[in-house]
Each structure stands twice: as structure tokens, then as C-alpha cells.
Amino acid sequence: MTHAVAGGRPSRAVSQQISAKLVKAGAQLFFSHGYEKTTMDAVAAKAGMSKRTLYTRFPGKADLFEAVVNDVLSRTVRALGEEHTFEGLLQDNLVAFAENLLKSALVPDVIAVERVVTGEAKQFPELAARLHQRFADYIVDLLSELIAHFEPKQTRPQAAVRRDAELFLAMVVLPPIRRAVLFQSKPGLHEEDRLAIRRAAEIFAKGVSA
């Protein structure tokens, strides 16, 4: 069995494995030492690969860091999308959505990403904004779809529904993530979070139906 194609280049599968190994090494170093203190030389050494191999796939440290963040957050939103349903009442769906999101977000890798991105936001504001916005938009889209599904007439502008989705997320998702990023709570969904979610969903559902 050969792992290379003509010219000695690695096959697509092997190339993907190499990239994944580099991303994993980058994640370990970024999460341990932060963005600024992590060097490309250290990443190559951690992965057991040459600097040429690293730079061929990731021309700069920002490119590698973005790949690391994409890898972590893509797994998070993929799981959220797979669990997305429209059964029952709006209030029940809001609770399920928020709990599923926090179960996926309040894990060590995602918290580590948030810490690094937040810590480097001043030095790399465009990178931080782009990474946050990309995944925030996806989550808001999912929640907007859920809210719109439970509005009988569905006559409100899409922008208004999105604004409601953003408000709900700000109520129930941002506080526990912020506490975790600031080392004020341990990873995982706690009972206080569940209580806050249920109360916020109750208030929100009544407001939307009013």
C-alpha cells in the first residue's frame, strides 16, 4: 500500500492526517502558552514535523490559530445542529436549545479557545471578531429558525426574530461562558445555569407570544 501519489506527494488522506496533527499540536501549545508565546518552530517540533511541512499548510501563525479555532468550534456547532428539533412548545425548545449549546460550549477546549481569543483581542481585533462572528451567526441562525417556527402567523421581519434570538442568547449563554473563561466556575452545565435557562425561556416565550 502506498501513501503517496505521483511525484512523491502525500495522498489526500495522508495530507489531511498531517494537517490534523499540526492543528492538534497547535491547539495544545496555544491553549497552554497563549497565542503570542506560541511559535511556529515549537508547533513543528511538537508535531514531529519539519517547518517546511507546517508552513506549506499554514503560511502564518494566524492561519494556524484560525484552523485550531475552526476545528474546536465546528465540532461544537455540528453537535448543536444535529440535536435541533421543533417538537413540543417554544419554551421547552428554548430550554433544550440553550442546554445543548452550553453542554457543548462549557468544555475545556471551547473555554480554552475563548480565553486565548479574548486575551489576544486587543492585539488581533480583526481575527477575534471574525472568529466570533462566524460561529455566532450560525448559532443565531439556528435559534432564529426555531423561534420563527413557533410564531403562528410568522409575519415579523427576519431582523426582529434575529434580534430576539441574540437577546435570548445574551441572557442565558454569555454569563456562564464568561464565568468559565474567568475561572469563576468549572467546565460543565451547572444547576444554577439550568434554573436561569428555564426562567429565561419562560419569560421569553411569554414575551414572544404576547
Side-chain angles (χ1 to χ4, degrees):
M1 178 181 294
T2 180
H3 296 291
V5 296
R9 293 177 299 173
S11 67
R12 182 176 180 179
V14 171
S15 182
Q16 290 175 339
Q17 291 174 0
I18 292 172
S19 295
K21 191 171 183 180
L22 289 168
V23 167
K24 182 178 180 180
Q28 292 172 341
L29 293 175
F30 284 131
F31 297 165
S32 298
H33 306 302
Y35 181 91
E36 187 174 0
K37 292 183 179 180
T38 296
T39 67
M40 294 292 270
D41 286 359
V43 173
K46 181 77 172 177
M49 298 183 187
S50 68
K51 288 188 288 184
R52 179 180 178 181
T53 298
L54 173 59
Y55 280 106
T56 296
R57 288 163 175 79
F58 305 103
K61 187 164 67 169
D63 300 295
L64 176 61
F65 181 61
E66 189 161 354
V68 168
V69 175
N70 281 333
D71 178 63
V72 173
L73 297 187
S74 292
R75 283 185 272 117
T76 300
V77 297
R78 190 183 307 123
L80 182 63
E82 290 171 353
E83 296 176 356
H84 188 50
T85 65
F86 296 112
E87 298 178 359
L89 302 174
L90 172 60
Q91 182 175 331
D92 298 330
N93 276 263
L94 290 172
V95 170
F97 185 95
E99 288 189 353
N100 289 335
L101 176 57
L102 284 176
K103 286 176 184 176
S104 299
L106 293 174
V107 295
D109 278 359
V110 177
I111 293 170
V113 163
E114 285 290 332
R115 285 174 181 155
V116 177
V117 171
T118 301
E120 303 299 333
K122 183 177 181 180
Q123 186 174 358
F124 304 99
E126 292 183 1
L127 175 62
R130 185 168 70 252
L131 292 172
H132 271 129
Q133 195 62 45
R134 181 182 306 164
F135 292 95
D137 283 345
Y138 178 80
I139 292 169
V140 171
D141 285 345
L142 282 179
L143 185 53
S144 297
E145 183 183 0
L146 187 155
I147 294 170
H149 178 81
F150 286 92
E151 293 190 356
K153 297 182 180 179
Q154 297 184 346
T155 56
R156 287 199 303 155
Q158 184 179 5
V161 178
R162 285 184 63 83
R163 184 172 61 248
D164 285 350
E166 291 170 350
L167 288 171
F168 181 75
L169 291 171
M171 290 169 64
V172 301
V173 174
L174 295 184
I177 290 179
R178 186 178 298 115
R179 288 196 301 271
V181 169
L182 296 176
F183 300 96
Q184 294 175 348
S185 65
K186 296 180 179 179
L189 184 64
H190 305 291
E191 184 57 27
E192 63 180 295
D193 301 321
R194 296 181 188 276
L195 291 173
I197 288 171
R198 288 197 288 270
R199 181 55 178 156
E202 179 183 7
I203 295 171
F204 187 87
K206 288 179 179 179
V208 168
S209 61

